[in-house]
Amino acid sequence: MLVDSPAEVRAAAAAPPRRVAARSLGLLVSVVILALVALTSIAVGAKELSLTQVWHGLFQDTGTYGDVVVGERLSRTVLGLLAGAALGLAGAVLQAVTRNPLADPGILGINAGASAAVVTAITFFGVTSLSGYVWFAFLGAAAVGVLVWFLGGSRGATPVRLALAGTALSAALYGYLQAVMIMDGAALGKMRFWTVGSLTAATDAVIVQVLPFFVIGTVTALLLARPLNALEMGDDTARALGAGLNRTRALALFSATVLCGAATAACGPIVFVGLMVPHVVRSFTGPDLRWILPYATVLSPVLLLGADVVGRIVARPAELQVGVVTAIIGGPVFILLVRRRRTAQL
């Protein structure tokens, strides 16, 4: 199923100046919204603090308030910004390269690869720290990305082959994961928290470890906007426009794997962000990936941090993990979006 017809993509690429100005203004507004949500994430938590206490914690107090605001909330917010942007950007890239508006990071087995690697690390290598999980999760995601590329046909890869290879690997890896967790009760207990998807374990050390991968994946994905636009017009049209099909698909898969691997390694598998946000963005930007990718990069952290803030408030003094909240919010909203899209097509 194509995301957009070639005619729609060509029309989007030739948008009039007025539309370009409107999209630019919308992107600026989105950045302002993101800044407000980030500030809210720093100011609001399971532990109630006044704005004065938050201010002291940020700039003056190195005691209790500083520990809560800087040591916990600030790191958590930074990781949420990075992970949200990574998931949204990766989802937009995967939807373009598979030409499927329902594609998300899970469709290529990246989440499954990261999860299987973490449970392997816990069970067979005795890894117990989050800093250890990060590297195993990223290596698992990267390994699956490479396997999907080769199983999908390598230089002859097509959207359908890539999706089928990812689905098959996901099924096999989740079967392995469940088998190991059933046989090893300790692994089950340690994995239960990580597989929900959470920002609570954010630390400066984890952010420093995954930051280079976020930067590499983001830059690569944003530079692919024009080639992916050509790819969405169909293989024949893309070749006529001089786009390198295999190179574009390989780089797109690389960027998505790096972004999803880093986000999953640091936070666990978080669903719906990479699926829903690009889908919503496309409804008001059109099919031009030169706009979809920046918008997804900005608005995806809005959803992730907003869900995290909701999770801190609704279960005080405990917390509801962000992976649970995104699933609760994302399911009904995405169904509504799909129904609207279907109605518009009728």
Side-chain angles (χ1 to χ4, degrees), residues 14-67:
R18 184 175 298 177
R19 184 176 298 178
V20 172
R23 290 171 177 170
S24 300
L25 179 60
L27 189 59
L28 178 61
V29 172
S30 299
V31 171
V32 173
I33 293 172
L34 176 58
L36 293 174
V37 173
L39 291 174
T40 303
S41 177
I42 295 172
V44 177
K47 180 179 178 61
E48 293 190 51
L49 297 177
S50 68
L51 292 179
T52 301
Q53 291 170 330
V54 171
W55 179 267
H56 281 290
L58 274 174
F59 300 106
Q60 299 177 19
D61 189 359
T62 58
T64 303
Y65 298 150
D67 291 341

Short mmCIF file of all heavy atoms in Angstrom, two decimals, residues 14-67:
data_model
loop_
_atom_site.label_atom_id
_atom_site.label_comp_id
_atom_site.label_asym_id
_atom_site.label_seq_id
_atom_site.Cartn_x
_atom_site.Cartn_y
_atom_site.Cartn_z
N ALA A 14 6.43 20.90 -5.10
CA ALA A 14 6.32 22.20 -5.77
C ALA A 14 5.33 23.11 -5.06
O ALA A 14 4.53 23.79 -5.68
CB ALA A 14 5.90 21.99 -7.22
N ALA A 15 5.34 23.10 -3.72
CA ALA A 15 4.40 23.88 -2.94
C ALA A 15 4.61 25.37 -3.16
O ALA A 15 5.75 25.83 -3.28
CB ALA A 15 4.56 23.56 -1.46
N PRO A 16 3.52 26.16 -3.26
CA PRO A 16 3.65 27.61 -3.44
C PRO A 16 4.27 28.27 -2.22
O PRO A 16 4.24 27.72 -1.12
CB PRO A 16 2.19 28.05 -3.66
CG PRO A 16 1.36 26.99 -3.01
CD PRO A 16 2.12 25.72 -3.20
N PRO A 17 4.83 29.49 -2.41
CA PRO A 17 5.49 30.19 -1.30
C PRO A 17 4.59 30.37 -0.08
O PRO A 17 5.08 30.30 1.05
CB PRO A 17 5.88 31.54 -1.92
CG PRO A 17 6.00 31.26 -3.38
CD PRO A 17 4.97 30.22 -3.68
N ARG A 18 3.30 30.63 -0.30
CA ARG A 18 2.40 30.83 0.84
C ARG A 18 2.33 29.57 1.70
O ARG A 18 2.32 29.66 2.93
CB ARG A 18 1.01 31.22 0.33
CG ARG A 18 0.02 31.54 1.44
CD ARG A 18 -1.30 32.03 0.88
NE ARG A 18 -1.12 33.26 0.11
CZ ARG A 18 -2.10 33.86 -0.55
NH1 ARG A 18 -3.33 33.34 -0.53
NH2 ARG A 18 -1.87 34.98 -1.21
N ARG A 19 2.27 28.42 1.04
CA ARG A 19 2.21 27.18 1.80
C ARG A 19 3.52 26.92 2.53
O ARG A 19 3.53 26.43 3.67
CB ARG A 19 1.89 26.00 0.87
CG ARG A 19 1.70 24.68 1.60
CD ARG A 19 1.28 23.58 0.64
NE ARG A 19 0.00 23.88 0.03
CZ ARG A 19 -0.59 23.10 -0.89
NH1 ARG A 19 0.03 22.01 -1.30
NH2 ARG A 19 -1.76 23.44 -1.39
N VAL A 20 4.64 27.24 1.89
CA VAL A 20 5.93 27.08 2.54
C VAL A 20 6.02 27.96 3.78
O VAL A 20 6.50 27.53 4.84
CB VAL A 20 7.07 27.43 1.56
CG1 VAL A 20 8.41 27.48 2.28
CG2 VAL A 20 7.12 26.43 0.41
N ALA A 21 5.53 29.20 3.67
CA ALA A 21 5.54 30.11 4.82
C ALA A 21 4.68 29.56 5.95
O ALA A 21 5.06 29.64 7.14
CB ALA A 21 5.04 31.49 4.39
N ALA A 22 3.51 29.00 5.61
CA ALA A 22 2.62 28.44 6.63
C ALA A 22 3.27 27.25 7.33
O ALA A 22 3.19 27.12 8.56
CB ALA A 22 1.30 28.03 6.00
N ARG A 23 3.94 26.41 6.57
CA ARG A 23 4.61 25.25 7.17
C ARG A 23 5.78 25.70 8.05
O ARG A 23 6.02 25.09 9.11
CB ARG A 23 5.10 24.30 6.08
CG ARG A 23 3.97 23.57 5.35
CD ARG A 23 4.50 22.82 4.15
NE ARG A 23 3.45 22.06 3.49
CZ ARG A 23 3.60 21.46 2.30
NH1 ARG A 23 4.77 21.53 1.68
NH2 ARG A 23 2.61 20.79 1.77
N SER A 24 6.50 26.72 7.61
CA SER A 24 7.60 27.23 8.42
C SER A 24 7.09 27.80 9.75
O SER A 24 7.69 27.56 10.81
CB SER A 24 8.36 28.32 7.65
OG SER A 24 8.89 27.81 6.44
N LEU A 25 6.00 28.54 9.68
CA LEU A 25 5.41 29.08 10.89
C LEU A 25 4.92 27.96 11.80
O LEU A 25 5.11 28.01 13.03
CB LEU A 25 4.24 30.01 10.54
CG LEU A 25 3.50 30.64 11.73
CD1 LEU A 25 4.45 31.48 12.57
CD2 LEU A 25 2.31 31.47 11.23
N GLY A 26 4.32 26.94 11.21
CA GLY A 26 3.85 25.80 12.00
C GLY A 26 4.99 25.09 12.69
O GLY A 26 4.87 24.65 13.84
N LEU A 27 6.14 24.98 12.00
CA LEU A 27 7.29 24.33 12.61
C LEU A 27 7.82 25.16 13.78
O LEU A 27 8.21 24.61 14.82
CB LEU A 27 8.38 24.13 11.56
CG LEU A 27 9.59 23.28 11.97
CD1 LEU A 27 9.16 21.89 12.38
CD2 LEU A 27 10.59 23.21 10.81
N LEU A 28 7.80 26.47 13.61
CA LEU A 28 8.24 27.36 14.70
C LEU A 28 7.32 27.22 15.91
O LEU A 28 7.79 27.14 17.06
CB LEU A 28 8.28 28.80 14.22
CG LEU A 28 8.68 29.86 15.26
CD1 LEU A 28 10.09 29.59 15.77
CD2 LEU A 28 8.59 31.25 14.66
N VAL A 29 6.02 27.18 15.66
CA VAL A 29 5.05 26.99 16.75
C VAL A 29 5.28 25.64 17.44
O VAL A 29 5.20 25.53 18.67
CB VAL A 29 3.61 27.09 16.21
CG1 VAL A 29 2.59 26.69 17.29
CG2 VAL A 29 3.31 28.50 15.73
N SER A 30 5.59 24.62 16.65
CA SER A 30 5.85 23.29 17.21
C SER A 30 7.06 23.32 18.14
O SER A 30 7.07 22.66 19.19
CB SER A 30 6.07 22.28 16.08
OG SER A 30 4.93 22.18 15.26
N VAL A 31 8.09 24.07 17.76
CA VAL A 31 9.28 24.19 18.61
C VAL A 31 8.92 24.88 19.93
O VAL A 31 9.40 24.48 21.00
CB VAL A 31 10.39 24.98 17.87
CG1 VAL A 31 11.54 25.30 18.82
CG2 VAL A 31 10.89 24.19 16.67
N VAL A 32 8.08 25.91 19.86
CA VAL A 32 7.64 26.60 21.08
C VAL A 32 6.86 25.64 21.98
O VAL A 32 7.05 25.60 23.20
CB VAL A 32 6.79 27.84 20.73
CG1 VAL A 32 6.19 28.45 22.00
CG2 VAL A 32 7.63 28.87 19.99
N ILE A 33 5.97 24.86 21.38
CA ILE A 33 5.20 23.88 22.15
C ILE A 33 6.13 22.87 22.82
O ILE A 33 5.96 22.51 23.99
CB ILE A 33 4.18 23.15 21.25
CG1 ILE A 33 3.11 24.14 20.76
CG2 ILE A 33 3.53 21.98 21.98
CD1 ILE A 33 2.18 23.56 19.72
N LEU A 34 7.12 22.41 22.07
CA LEU A 34 8.08 21.46 22.64
C LEU A 34 8.82 22.07 23.82
O LEU A 34 9.02 21.40 24.85
CB LEU A 34 9.08 21.03 21.56
CG LEU A 34 10.21 20.10 22.01
CD1 LEU A 34 9.66 18.82 22.62
CD2 LEU A 34 11.15 19.79 20.85
N ALA A 35 9.22 23.33 23.71
CA ALA A 35 9.91 23.99 24.81
C ALA A 35 9.02 24.07 26.04
O ALA A 35 9.48 23.83 27.18
CB ALA A 35 10.35 25.39 24.38
N LEU A 36 7.74 24.37 25.85
CA LEU A 36 6.81 24.46 26.98
C LEU A 36 6.61 23.09 27.64
O LEU A 36 6.56 22.98 28.87
CB LEU A 36 5.46 25.01 26.50
CG LEU A 36 5.46 26.48 26.04
CD1 LEU A 36 4.10 26.85 25.47
CD2 LEU A 36 5.82 27.40 27.20
N VAL A 37 6.50 22.05 26.83
CA VAL A 37 6.33 20.70 27.38
C VAL A 37 7.59 20.28 28.13
O VAL A 37 7.51 19.65 29.20
CB VAL A 37 6.01 19.70 26.25
CG1 VAL A 37 6.02 18.27 26.77
CG2 VAL A 37 4.65 20.01 25.63
N ALA A 38 8.77 20.64 27.61
CA ALA A 38 10.02 20.30 28.29
C ALA A 38 10.11 21.01 29.64
O ALA A 38 10.52 20.41 30.65
CB ALA A 38 11.21 20.67 27.41
N LEU A 39 9.71 22.27 29.69
CA LEU A 39 9.70 22.99 30.95
C LEU A 39 8.72 22.37 31.93
O LEU A 39 9.00 22.28 33.14
CB LEU A 39 9.36 24.46 30.71
CG LEU A 39 10.43 25.29 29.98
CD1 LEU A 39 9.89 26.68 29.67
CD2 LEU A 39 11.70 25.38 30.81
N THR A 40 7.58 21.94 31.41
CA THR A 40 6.59 21.27 32.27
C THR A 40 7.15 19.97 32.83
O THR A 40 6.93 19.62 33.99
CB THR A 40 5.30 20.98 31.48
OG1 THR A 40 4.79 22.20 30.95
CG2 THR A 40 4.25 20.32 32.36
N SER A 41 7.90 19.26 32.00
CA SER A 41 8.51 18.00 32.45
C SER A 41 9.50 18.23 33.59
O SER A 41 9.62 17.40 34.49
CB SER A 41 9.22 17.33 31.26
OG SER A 41 9.88 16.16 31.67
N ILE A 42 10.20 19.37 33.55
CA ILE A 42 11.14 19.70 34.62
C ILE A 42 10.40 20.15 35.88
O ILE A 42 10.80 19.85 37.00
CB ILE A 42 12.11 20.80 34.16
CG1 ILE A 42 12.99 20.26 33.01
CG2 ILE A 42 12.99 21.28 35.31
CD1 ILE A 42 13.86 21.31 32.37
N ALA A 43 9.28 20.86 35.70
CA ALA A 43 8.56 21.45 36.83
C ALA A 43 7.63 20.48 37.54
O ALA A 43 7.34 20.64 38.73
CB ALA A 43 7.77 22.67 36.36
N VAL A 44 7.13 19.45 36.84
CA VAL A 44 6.09 18.57 37.38
C VAL A 44 6.65 17.17 37.57
O VAL A 44 7.34 16.64 36.69
CB VAL A 44 4.86 18.53 36.44
CG1 VAL A 44 3.82 17.57 36.97
CG2 VAL A 44 4.27 19.92 36.28
N GLY A 45 6.34 16.57 38.70
CA GLY A 45 6.78 15.21 38.95
C GLY A 45 5.92 14.52 39.98
O GLY A 45 4.95 15.09 40.48
N ALA A 46 6.29 13.28 40.29
CA ALA A 46 5.55 12.54 41.31
C ALA A 46 5.69 13.23 42.66
O ALA A 46 4.76 13.21 43.48
CB ALA A 46 6.07 11.10 41.37
N LYS A 47 6.84 13.82 42.92
CA LYS A 47 7.04 14.60 44.13
C LYS A 47 6.65 16.04 43.84
O LYS A 47 7.20 16.69 42.94
CB LYS A 47 8.51 14.54 44.58
CG LYS A 47 8.81 15.33 45.84
CD LYS A 47 10.27 15.19 46.21
CE LYS A 47 10.61 16.01 47.46
NZ LYS A 47 9.86 15.58 48.64
N GLU A 48 5.68 16.55 44.56
CA GLU A 48 5.17 17.90 44.31
C GLU A 48 6.16 18.95 44.82
O GLU A 48 6.54 18.95 45.98
CB GLU A 48 3.82 18.09 44.99
CG GLU A 48 2.71 17.23 44.38
CD GLU A 48 1.34 17.61 44.90
OE1 GLU A 48 1.01 18.81 44.86
OE2 GLU A 48 0.62 16.72 45.36
N LEU A 49 6.56 19.84 43.92
CA LEU A 49 7.42 20.97 44.26
C LEU A 49 6.81 22.24 43.69
O LEU A 49 6.22 22.22 42.61
CB LEU A 49 8.82 20.79 43.66
CG LEU A 49 9.67 19.59 44.14
CD1 LEU A 49 10.98 19.57 43.38
CD2 LEU A 49 9.93 19.68 45.64
N SER A 50 6.97 23.34 44.40
CA SER A 50 6.50 24.62 43.89
C SER A 50 7.47 25.11 42.82
O SER A 50 8.60 24.62 42.71
CB SER A 50 6.42 25.65 45.02
OG SER A 50 7.73 25.96 45.49
N LEU A 51 7.02 26.10 42.03
CA LEU A 51 7.90 26.65 41.00
C LEU A 51 9.14 27.29 41.62
O LEU A 51 10.24 27.24 41.04
CB LEU A 51 7.14 27.69 40.17
CG LEU A 51 6.02 27.13 39.28
CD1 LEU A 51 5.33 28.26 38.53
CD2 LEU A 51 6.57 26.10 38.30
N THR A 52 8.98 27.87 42.80
CA THR A 52 10.14 28.44 43.50
C THR A 52 11.14 27.36 43.86
O THR A 52 12.37 27.53 43.70
CB THR A 52 9.68 29.18 44.77
OG1 THR A 52 8.76 30.21 44.42
CG2 THR A 52 10.88 29.79 45.49
N GLN A 53 10.65 26.24 44.35
CA GLN A 53 11.54 25.14 44.70
C GLN A 53 12.22 24.56 43.46
O GLN A 53 13.40 24.18 43.52
CB GLN A 53 10.74 24.05 45.43
CG GLN A 53 10.27 24.47 46.82
CD GLN A 53 9.29 23.49 47.43
OE1 GLN A 53 8.52 22.83 46.71
NE2 GLN A 53 9.30 23.39 48.75
N VAL A 54 11.47 24.49 42.36
CA VAL A 54 12.07 24.01 41.11
C VAL A 54 13.18 24.95 40.66
O VAL A 54 14.26 24.52 40.24
CB VAL A 54 10.99 23.88 40.01
CG1 VAL A 54 11.64 23.60 38.66
CG2 VAL A 54 10.00 22.78 40.37
N TRP A 55 12.94 26.26 40.76
CA TRP A 55 13.95 27.25 40.38
C TRP A 55 15.20 27.12 41.25
O TRP A 55 16.33 27.12 40.73
CB TRP A 55 13.35 28.66 40.52
CG TRP A 55 14.32 29.76 40.19
CD1 TRP A 55 15.14 30.44 41.04
CD2 TRP A 55 14.58 30.28 38.89
NE1 TRP A 55 15.89 31.36 40.37
CE2 TRP A 55 15.58 31.30 39.04
CE3 TRP A 55 14.09 30.01 37.61
CZ2 TRP A 55 16.07 32.02 37.95
CZ3 TRP A 55 14.59 30.74 36.54
CH2 TRP A 55 15.55 31.72 36.71
N HIS A 56 15.00 26.98 42.54
CA HIS A 56 16.15 26.79 43.44
C HIS A 56 16.89 25.51 43.10
O HIS A 56 18.13 25.46 43.15
CB HIS A 56 15.68 26.77 44.89
CG HIS A 56 15.41 28.13 45.46
ND1 HIS A 56 16.41 29.04 45.74
CD2 HIS A 56 14.25 28.74 45.80
CE1 HIS A 56 15.89 30.15 46.22
NE2 HIS A 56 14.57 30.00 46.27
N GLY A 57 16.14 24.46 42.80
CA GLY A 57 16.78 23.20 42.46
C GLY A 57 17.62 23.28 41.21
O GLY A 57 18.66 22.63 41.10
N LEU A 58 17.17 24.09 40.23
CA LEU A 58 17.90 24.21 38.98
C LEU A 58 19.16 25.07 39.12
O LEU A 58 20.21 24.73 38.58
CB LEU A 58 17.00 24.82 37.90
CG LEU A 58 16.10 23.88 37.12
CD1 LEU A 58 15.17 24.67 36.20
CD2 LEU A 58 16.90 22.87 36.31
N PHE A 59 19.05 26.19 39.85
CA PHE A 59 20.11 27.19 39.78
C PHE A 59 20.83 27.47 41.10
O PHE A 59 21.89 28.09 41.10
CB PHE A 59 19.54 28.51 39.24
CG PHE A 59 18.97 28.37 37.86
CD1 PHE A 59 17.60 28.38 37.67
CD2 PHE A 59 19.80 28.22 36.76
CE1 PHE A 59 17.06 28.26 36.39
CE2 PHE A 59 19.27 28.10 35.48
CZ PHE A 59 17.90 28.11 35.30
N GLN A 60 20.24 27.05 42.22
CA GLN A 60 20.85 27.44 43.49
C GLN A 60 21.10 26.27 44.44
O GLN A 60 22.19 26.14 44.98
CB GLN A 60 19.94 28.47 44.20
CG GLN A 60 19.75 29.75 43.39
CD GLN A 60 18.81 30.73 44.07
OE1 GLN A 60 18.56 30.64 45.27
NE2 GLN A 60 18.26 31.66 43.30
N ASP A 61 20.11 25.43 44.62
CA ASP A 61 20.17 24.40 45.65
C ASP A 61 20.89 23.16 45.13
O ASP A 61 20.55 22.62 44.09
CB ASP A 61 18.75 24.04 46.09
CG ASP A 61 18.75 23.13 47.31
OD1 ASP A 61 19.84 22.80 47.78
OD2 ASP A 61 17.66 22.79 47.78
N THR A 62 21.87 22.70 45.86
CA THR A 62 22.54 21.44 45.52
C THR A 62 22.10 20.32 46.45
O THR A 62 22.64 19.22 46.41
CB THR A 62 24.07 21.59 45.62
OG1 THR A 62 24.40 22.02 46.95
CG2 THR A 62 24.57 22.60 44.61
N GLY A 63 21.10 20.58 47.28
CA GLY A 63 20.61 19.57 48.22
C GLY A 63 19.44 18.80 47.65
O GLY A 63 19.47 18.34 46.51
N THR A 64 18.37 18.70 48.45
CA THR A 64 17.23 17.87 48.08
C THR A 64 16.59 18.32 46.78
O THR A 64 16.34 17.51 45.87
CB THR A 64 16.17 17.89 49.20
OG1 THR A 64 16.78 17.45 50.41
CG2 THR A 64 15.01 16.98 48.84
N TYR A 65 16.31 19.61 46.67
CA TYR A 65 15.66 20.12 45.46
C TYR A 65 16.54 19.93 44.24
O TYR A 65 16.08 19.57 43.14
CB TYR A 65 15.30 21.59 45.61
CG TYR A 65 14.33 21.88 46.73
CD1 TYR A 65 14.35 23.09 47.40
CD2 TYR A 65 13.39 20.93 47.13
CE1 TYR A 65 13.47 23.37 48.44
CE2 TYR A 65 12.50 21.18 48.16
CZ TYR A 65 12.55 22.40 48.82
OH TYR A 65 11.67 22.66 49.84
N GLY A 66 17.83 20.15 44.40
CA GLY A 66 18.75 19.96 43.30
C GLY A 66 18.81 18.52 42.85
O GLY A 66 18.87 18.22 41.66
N ASP A 67 18.80 17.59 43.81
CA ASP A 67 18.81 16.17 43.48
C ASP A 67 17.58 15.78 42.68
O ASP A 67 17.66 14.99 41.72
CB ASP A 67 18.88 15.32 44.76
CG ASP A 67 20.22 15.45 45.46
OD1 ASP A 67 21.19 15.88 44.80
OD2 ASP A 67 20.28 15.15 46.67
#
